[in-house]
Amino acid sequence: MIPHQAGLRHLTAQSGGRALPLMALYPTDTPAQPQPFGPYTMEVAVNAPVCAGRYPVVLISHGNNGSPLTHRDTATHLARHGFVVLLPEHVGNSRSDPSLENTIERLRVRPQQVHDAFEALQRDAELGEHADPHWRAIVGHSIGACTALTAAGGVPVNTRFDTPTAQPGLPFAA
């Protein structure tokens, strides 16, 4: 049995002076309906009320030049089972904005975008009070895993394949 439905809100977020596209999924009791998002469909209740309570937060960081919507099934499952889920579309390193493709800069901005997404959630008038600020997790796919580890305090190491001069940078220069 699924305890809740999945609600969905678009949050207002900024990172590095640019808009950070950010969706939040969360537990609701409002019936979900299939909603189109480009080539994808998600069964969610858009802008529905949040179920009472505080919920752990999970952010899912997509892969290189990917889309947060490729993780929609995981996100809706988590929301239905009592999590607030953040799906940022990484500015400069997503399907709709690949401007930082093959740059080291993307390794710098993605972890900051994670922090900015968490801050946007805490500021949100509808969801902020339901998000437990002491229980946060990050799930990452591919470069999203590097993003998660770096956002958590890890220090990435560049290899010669990561730099235009083919010279490694040890450790990664922030």
Side-chain angles (χ1 to χ4, degrees):
M1 178 178 162
I2 298 172
H4 302 286
Q5 298 292 305
L8 181 140
R9 289 178 46 84
H10 291 274
L11 301 185
T12 301
Q14 294 283 315
S15 189
R18 295 178 66 187
L20 174 64
L22 180 61
M23 290 188 289
L25 284 81
Y26 52 88
T28 186
D29 289 328
T30 301
Q33 301 293 323
Q35 299 290 326
F37 293 91
Y40 305 107
T41 300
M42 292 173 62
E43 193 153 317
V44 293
V46 177
N47 296 324
V50 186
C51 288
R54 287 200 109 168
Y55 302 100
V57 180
V58 176
L59 182 142
I60 302 175
S61 179
H62 63 77
N64 186 47
N65 290 339
S67 166
L69 293 169
T70 58
H71 303 285
R72 66 196 177 282
D73 291 338
T74 301
T76 55
H77 178 87
L78 288 169
R80 289 175 182 153
H81 289 83
F83 291 84
V84 173
V85 183
L86 294 175
L87 294 175
E89 183 175 350
H90 289 289
V91 178
N93 193 222
S94 68
R95 181 183 64 196
S96 62
D97 176 9
S99 60
L100 296 177
E101 183 176 12
N102 298 323
T103 68
I104 293 175
E105 184 64 16
R106 68 187 166 155
L107 300 176
R108 290 187 184 103
V109 301
R110 286 175 64 112
Q112 183 60 51
Q113 292 171 9
V114 166
H115 291 289
D116 294 338
F118 280 126
E119 286 181 15
L121 173 64
Q122 290 304 139
R123 286 191 312 267
D124 187 78
E126 299 295 321
L127 286 174
E129 67 185 62
H130 297 284
D132 186 340
H134 304 291
W135 201 111
R136 294 178 174 177
I138 307 172
V139 175
H141 169 72
S142 189
I143 195 171
C146 177
T147 301
L149 291 170
T150 305
V155 180
V157 175
N158 292 331
T159 69
R160 63 186 176 90
F161 301 107
D162 298 325
T163 62
T165 61
Q167 299 299 312
L170 303 173
F172 173 73

